Amino acid sequence: MMPTMLYLHGFNSSPNSIKARLMLEHLRQKRPDIHFVCPQIAATPAAAWAQIAAICDQIEGPFGVAGSSLGGFWATRVAERFGVRAVVINPAVNPHILLRDYLGEQQNPYTDEHYQLNEAHMAELEALRVDAPSCLDRIWLLQQQGDEVLDYREALEYYRFARVCIQKGGDHAFVGFEHYCAQVVRFLEL
């Protein structure tokens, strides 16, 4: 049965994000035996988790998950709930706090979708957070200190018992991600 990589994009992003495209291209060239799934994730948290969980339930055979930013938050929940390996790239550890700065009218620049982000969504994120992950032995944190969106120290604390790769410099997009694609696949054991 063909293994699957599930890639989860971040807040107001899409399957057309740079890292998703880099991973897809890597798999096409080097690992065409791996099925790549990268959905357009719903904009609001409860709907997003319902969608992600339904996708995971439908995957037949082995799979692993990678996620960036808010996608890293979701990837951690997938690893915890479904017992798979995960790579989290500059992950949002506390999006229920971080995204308060974005309350109100939102527009996804990739999809042009308009929606309202409100306090109820922050409560959904807080309820969906994995407070004490038991899956850290199956998670690899890829973190750059130059992330201008997230405080990298939150991720280092939260994922302290996971495999950790921290780099000086970089940014929220994770500069040089293309050099990690093969390692991501190996870590996910696909």
Side-chain angles (χ1 to χ4, degrees), residues 14 17 22 42-44 48 50 55-56 63 65 69 73 76 83 86 93 99 103 113-114 126 131 133 138 158 187:
S14 85
S17 69
L22 287 168
T44 57
I55 289 168
C56 292
F63 79 97
V65 61
S69 192
F73 172 85
T76 302
V93 174
L99 293 180
L103 292 177
E113 176 186 6
H114 291 263
E126 188 171 12
D131 289 326
R138 297 188 313 273
Y158 182 78
F187 181 80

Side-chain angles (χ1 to χ4, degrees), residues 125-144:
L125 283 168
E126 188 171 12
L128 290 163
R129 184 178 189 274
V130 179
D131 289 326
S134 64
C135 59
L136 291 174
D137 59 324
R138 297 188 313 273
I139 292 181
W140 182 20
L141 167 66
L142 288 175
Q143 183 71 54
Q144 291 186 331

